[in-house]
Amino acid sequence: MSRTSECWFENCRIPAENRLPKASGLRAPLSCLSPARAGIAWGVIGAAIGCYETALAYAKSREQFGRPIAGFQLVQEKLVWMLQEITKAQLLALRLTRMMAAGPVRPAQISLAKRNNAWMALECARKARDILGAAGITDRYSVIRHLMNLETVYTYEGTNDIHTLIVGHDITGIDAFGG
Ligand SMILES: Cc1cc2nc3c(=O)[nH]c(=O)nc-3n(C[C@H](O)[C@H](O)[C@H](O)COP(=O)(O)OP(=O)(O)OC[C@H]3O[C@@H](n4cnc5c(N)ncnc54)[C@H](O)[C@@H]3O)c2cc1C
């Protein structure tokens, strides 16, 4: 569980020795966001693979209408979608990581990877939960745990919408954040 709360600071006097070394503004603490978001782009792939493997094994063992549910076209479509999107997310994360190793990247490039991969993993978890039927909402399988966690990953380190606006600003040059 996550104890989520709001905090604010008013009329605070901070001792000079508590300042971040070499920091001159908000940019310094915010600089941790880029590598964290790139890490998320990788981490969620693991959760998605866990959901895919659980759903595949379940679909091959669960029988309905006299055959394994893996033999139904609608179930196969979900499994194929998961495999396809996991593979694309891996390539996106790999490309981003290689670009980061070669030199600085633009924040929008990291936003694109965080936005896509968190969304992809959440969709995989939802499809896996669906394939597991009612068993998917029990904690006997890891899928519902991944699903709840991925709902939060979709929001933290920049919500999906905010990353949309970051990429939108980058490609159009127009700020759509409001204010
Ligand atoms: C499990 C968990 C762990 C977290 N860990 C940390 C942490 O370690 N450190 C930390 O600092 N924070 C942490 N957070 C906070 C997280 O980063 C924020 O919840 C997130 O940035 C969204 O802020 P908010 O909840 O205030 O939502 P809001 O900013 O109120 O957003 C609500 C909705 O409005 C949308 N929205 C907001 N502004 C706009 C806009 N201009 N245009 C369009 N849509 C908009 C958002 O996309 C979202 O859909 C954590 C959150 C969770 C759930």
Side-chain angles (χ1 to χ4, degrees):
M1 60 89 72
S2 162
R3 180 171 294 183
T4 302
S5 52
E6 191 173 16
C7 58
W8 66 93
F9 303 92
E10 230 171 27
N11 299 322
C12 292
R13 296 186 68 82
I14 311 297
E17 66 265 24
N18 286 7
R19 291 182 59 154
L20 283 175
K22 299 180 185 166
S24 60
L26 196 57
R27 190 180 183 87
L30 290 183
S31 66
C32 70
L33 290 176
S34 287
R37 288 169 176 172
I40 286 172
W42 278 113
V44 293
I45 294 172
I49 290 173
C51 291
Y52 166 74
E53 289 179 346
T54 301
L56 178 60
Y58 185 87
K60 285 161 77 173
S61 65
R62 172 72 173 168
E63 291 197 5
Q64 290 290 30
F65 296 91
R67 61 196 302 201
I69 60 169
F72 297 123
Q73 291 182 4
L74 291 174
V75 174
Q76 288 192 4
E77 192 279 333
K78 293 184 184 84
L79 291 168
V80 171
W81 189 95
M82 292 162 76
L83 181 65
Q84 165 193 293
E85 293 301 321
I86 288 167
T87 305
K88 284 156 65 179
Q90 286 172 321
L91 290 171
L92 183 55
L94 180 63
R95 169 81 176 134
L96 177 68
T97 303
R98 286 182 174 160
M99 286 169 63
M100 290 172 77
V105 299
R106 298 200 311 284
Q109 292 171 311
I110 295 174
S111 286
L112 194 73
K114 192 275 178 184
R115 181 182 186 278
N116 180 78
N117 290 13
W119 162 80
M120 174 284 300
L122 181 55
E123 287 301 309
C124 280
R126 286 172 175 160
K127 287 180 191 295
R129 210 292 308 151
D130 184 13
I131 290 172
L132 266 61
I137 68 157
T138 70
D139 62 6
R140 187 173 160 205
Y141 297 93
S142 59
V143 169
I144 195 71
R145 179 171 55 81
H146 284 307
L147 177 50
M148 289 189 289
N149 183 50
L150 289 164
E151 286 286 357
T152 69
V153 182
Y154 192 76
T155 284
Y156 70 48
E157 290 289 344
T159 68
N160 188 271
D161 286 342
I162 292 300
H163 286 301
T164 303
L165 300 183
I166 292 171
V167 178
H169 180 242
D170 190 68
I171 59 178
T172 65
I174 304 169
D175 175 345
F177 290 93

